[in-house]
Amino acid sequence: MEKLFKIYVYEEGEVPIFHDGPCRSIYSSEGRFIHEMEKGNMYRTRDPDKALVYFLPFSVARMVRFMYVPDSKDRHGMKLTIIDYVNLIAQKHPFWNRSLGADHFMLSCHDWGPFTTSFVPLLFHKSIRVLCNANTSEGFNPSKDASFPEINLKTSEMSGLGGQPPSSRSTLAFFAGGLHGHIRSLLLNEWKGKDRDVRVYEKLPRGVSYEKMLKGSKFCLCPSGYEVASPRVVEAIYAECIPVLISDGYIPPFSDVLDWKTFSVQVPVKNISDIKNILMSISSRQYLRTQRRVKEVQRHFLVNGPPKRYDVFHMIVHSIWLRRLNIRIQDLLT
């Protein structure tokens, strides 16, 4: 892949909506990838005829910030921007029409990423959509779309990787977060302040460190919010705490090559009330094996500048590469 895979980044569009993105927020995965592609140090080709895929470098997070009036429910400006942009690409270059957009990709970590692509039917149904909000109930198609992780970078670089050794992790399960969607409401209603082993908070008590709780817990609960993705999954992996994915319809990142069953616990929403029994049924031997696997896969979720082999940037590119291998342009034209 490193030798053969070439990506052409369309140069049309102006910042901040295009060629830019947030690098310090829960949308940092979106911004960091756009920035790395814009630098052109890896995978990018300036010759579109040598490219295997074509990147549409718009940022949904930036669209929401600069084009959407909060609580207005008016996304018409965003709709026109996406439609006009794709039309411009299709009129100015031959590649979109040649494949009906199938060898093109967009990338978004915003909740509205999937919805935004629906403004252009070919973008939604044909193109490779790289999304944090990888929800099959909202049209995410694992055979052509790729899931990537939501990473909340509070600074430009990461810090504080690792945690307590397994023998020193005294808390069975931990979660802290507000009422952000019905799944969290179910979790808080069932477990908030009701169990010493399953420590669920809407707001942490004064003096209790969120990071220390992650690092001192065996399992970290990662319920979906309003949408399926949660930055808590990667926070858990960074803290070497086994993530417990509580969601329906979520396709975890890099599932093509990472077996999530070996380093996480997946709990359907209907089983929230049974979380403690599920976790207590995991033997010490199985827990140690799973926790060791969390440490092994951690490198695939690391953000590096510049990118390093097998880190999150390369994993995203590899996911796109795998989906491009499934596309035969000639078949699309017959």
Side-chain angles (χ1 to χ4, degrees), residues 304-321:
N304 295 303
K308 298 178 182 179
R309 260 188 174 184
Y310 308 113
D311 69 2
V312 69
F313 174 79
H314 284 86
M315 294 294 287
I316 294 170
V317 172
H318 184 254
S319 295
I320 299 166
W321 158 258

Side-chain angles (χ1 to χ4, degrees), residues 145-205:
D145 299 328
S147 173
F148 78 117
E150 190 170 298
I151 302 175
N152 186 11
L153 282 182
K154 298 179 179 66
T155 62
S156 59
E157 300 299 333
M158 300 173 305
S159 62
L161 295 176
Q164 297 293 325
S167 60
S168 299
R169 292 178 180 256
S170 56
T171 299
L172 176 66
F174 166 68
F175 170 79
L179 290 170
H180 192 74
H182 80 281
I183 296 177
R184 290 198 194 174
S185 295
L186 292 172
L187 179 67
L188 287 164
N189 288 338
E190 187 70 36
W191 292 103
K192 177 184 172 183
K194 296 180 180 179
D195 195 285
R196 294 179 61 184
D197 296 318
V198 181
R199 301 180 64 177
V200 171
Y201 303 92
E202 185 173 354
K203 187 176 182 180
L204 278 176

Side-chain angles (χ1 to χ4, degrees), residues 251-266:
I251 304 299
F254 317 137
S255 297
D256 303 296
V257 292
L258 298 183
D259 184 357
W260 280 79
K261 292 180 180 179
T262 67
F263 63 93
S264 71
V265 177
Q266 300 185 39

Side-chain angles (χ1 to χ4, degrees), residues 226-264:
Y226 287 117
E227 300 295 348
V228 291
S230 170
R232 285 168 176 77
V233 177
V234 174
E235 288 175 350
I237 292 172
Y238 285 176
E240 295 170 5
C241 177
I242 297 173
V244 180
L245 310 186
I246 308 172
S247 63
D248 289 329
Y250 180 47
I251 304 299
F254 317 137
S255 297
D256 303 296
V257 292
L258 298 183
D259 184 357
W260 280 79
K261 292 180 180 179
T262 67
F263 63 93
S264 71

Side-chain angles (χ1 to χ4, degrees), residues 5-45:
F5 198 37
K6 298 299 179 184
I7 300 171
Y8 180 74
V9 181
Y10 284 113
E11 297 179 356
E12 288 75 13
E14 298 181 359
V15 295
I17 306 301
F18 301 89
H19 310 289
D20 197 8
C23 292
R24 294 185 184 90
S25 71
I26 60 172
Y27 309 124
S28 64
S29 298
E30 178 179 314
R32 292 292 290 248
F33 184 87
I34 293 174
H35 279 222
E36 290 299 338
M37 289 309 308
E38 290 292 331
K39 289 179 183 177
N41 295 330
M42 307 185 74
Y43 300 107
R44 184 175 182 178
T45 177

